[in-house]
Amino acid sequence: MAEALIHRLAEVGSTMDAARTLAEAGALHGTAVSARIQTGGRGRSGRQWLSPAGNLYVTIILRPGGDARHAPELGFVCALALAEAVDGLAGPGTRLKWPNDVLRNGAKLAGILLERLPDGAVLAGIGVNVALQPEGMPYPVTSLRALDSPAEPEDVLTALLARLHAGWAVWQASGFAAVLARWRERGPVLGATLRVRLETGIVTGSFAGLGEDGSLQLETGTGRRTLVAGDVLL
Ligand code: BTN
């Protein structure tokens, strides 16, 4: 990843849309769009991502090249980079929740939304609770401020881009297995009970590891399930 070009916006609907426009115009790998405020921030599964001033909202344009089947791997690369950045700012203890949420003390600190473009580019949208944590969420949330970190959104962005630069190099040189090995160190322990929301409902089972494609292996009462999409519930 070359020296990143960062477009800093005061206010935008969603940095995903601003980044998409740039990517469609040919923006280079590593180009980032951040905003102080988003008026239409979005999360995974069509959920809203509340985006008042104080937190980090950024989308990074990634151009992985190669086979489009590897695109989902980028969520793991980004989550790992983000976890490492948070460790650097708030001290060790950052965990990961499949597929790519970042947790501290069992509460959500950051989320990642991936969107693919027809030309193979991937937009990695990252929201980090820096100064504020949204209220009324159906799961526990936290922020860097609540963890006593004085970091500002710009500090998080700088650390994130540096870690992503390094993590990208690992992914390219050593492959996804190397990324997964590091993800596992921050993921659930084997045998932990997980509840996963699928489009068809909620499935409960014990964590049996990750497949080599990053799929979630869940041991359920009716046998082993391999999940490629869904949300582990907190
Ligand atoms: C999630 O549901 O956990 C993913 C949240 C992703 C939010 C970020 S904020 C920057 C980018 N712009 C958006 O509208 N969404 C992502």
Side-chain angles (χ1 to χ4, degrees), residues 17 38 43 47 128 131 161:
D17 299 330
Q38 294 186 119
R47 289 185 289 263
V128 184
L161 291 175

Side-chain angles (χ1 to χ4, degrees), residues 6 63 80 109 115 148 156 158 166 168-169 174 180 182 205 225:
I6 306 172
R63 296 195 181 276
L80 197 53
L109 178 74
E115 292 181 0
D148 288 332
V156 184
T158 302
W168 189 269
S174 308
L180 279 184
R182 288 162 69 174
R225 301 265 312 255

Side-chain angles (χ1 to χ4, degrees), residues 12-17 33-35 38 40-51 56-60 97 100-102 108 110-115 124-128 139 231:
V12 71
S14 165
T15 56
M16 303 305 285
D17 299 330
V33 184
S34 71
Q38 294 186 119
R42 53 183 184 262
R44 296 178 65 232
S45 309
R47 289 185 289 263
Q48 186 187 16
W49 188 264
L50 293 171
S51 309
L56 175 66
Y57 315 108
V58 63
T59 298
I60 304 165
K97 181 171 83 63
N100 44 39
D101 281 350
V102 174
K108 181 157 166 167
I112 298 176
L113 173 69
L114 294 185
E115 292 181 0
I126 297 172
V128 184
Y139 48 80
D231 263 324

Side-chain angles (χ1 to χ4, degrees), residues 43-220:
R44 296 178 65 232
S45 309
R47 289 185 289 263
Q48 186 187 16
W49 188 264
L50 293 171
S51 309
N55 291 339
L56 175 66
Y57 315 108
V58 63
T59 298
I60 304 165
I61 298 170
L62 301 173
R63 296 195 181 276
D67 194 324
R69 282 177 307 172
H70 294 294
E73 298 177 10
L74 300 186
F76 293 83
V77 175
C78 290
L80 197 53
L82 191 49
E84 290 170 353
V86 170
D87 268 7
L89 296 165
T94 309
R95 310 287 305 176
L96 292 169
K97 181 171 83 63
W98 186 85
N100 44 39
D101 281 350
V102 174
L103 309 179
R104 290 289 297 218
N105 304 328
K108 181 157 166 167
L109 178 74
I112 298 176
L113 173 69
L114 294 185
E115 292 181 0
R116 282 192 236 179
L117 271 61
D119 71 352
V122 174
L123 306 178
I126 297 172
V128 184
N129 297 335
V130 179
L132 307 165
Q133 49 198 70
E135 289 180 11
M137 303 305 285
Y139 48 80
V141 288
T142 190
S143 66
L144 285 174
R145 205 63 85 246
L147 298 167
D148 288 332
S149 165
E152 296 292 335
E154 197 62 25
D155 302 321
V156 184
L157 180 56
T158 302
L160 167 64
L161 291 175
R163 295 292 184 164
L164 186 56
H165 183 85
W168 189 269
V170 169
W171 180 63
Q172 297 245 299
S174 308
F176 189 45
V179 176
L180 279 184
R182 288 162 69 174
W183 194 99
R184 281 189 194 99
E185 291 169 6
R186 295 177 183 272
V189 293
L190 285 175
T193 300
L194 300 182
R195 291 171 67 231
V196 188
R197 186 176 40 225
L198 308 175
E199 278 184 2
T200 49
I202 291 178
V203 56
T204 303
S206 63
F207 179 57
L210 295 180
E212 58 185 28
D213 57 353
S215 56
L216 181 74
Q217 310 288 314
L218 204 62
E219 206 63 59
T220 74

